[in-house]
Amino acid sequence: MPSAQSLAMTLLAILGFCVMLALGAFVGKKITPGKLVMYAGVLALISVVCFTVYAAYYFIARAS
């Protein structure tokens, strides 16, 4: 099972990917800013929810 530090690094990597995706799409003008924010926000929300559930499971299992 991964440590808490690796969990945090995974979350930061996913959120960094969202930021770079948004920046690249905005600079390249491939999609409109509204759709860009929606896609990046949905991806970030999914990653934060998954991280929260897994972190809660990790710390509960570790405490037992």
Side-chain angles (χ1 to χ4, degrees):
M1 186 173 287
S3 67
Q5 183 179 9
S6 65
L7 287 174
M9 291 304 291
T10 303
L11 177 68
L12 289 176
I14 293 171
L15 293 178
F17 172 75
C18 291
V19 169
M20 289 300 137
L21 176 70
L23 184 62
F26 182 71
V27 171
K29 299 194 189 287
K30 295 289 183 187
I31 58 176
T32 62
K35 283 192 174 226
L36 174 68
V37 169
M38 184 181 70
Y39 289 136
V42 167
L43 187 60
L45 180 65
I46 289 170
S47 67
V48 168
V49 168
C50 290
F51 172 77
T52 304
V53 169
Y54 187 74
Y57 169 76
Y58 172 75
F59 290 116
I60 289 171
R62 189 171 178 193
S64 303

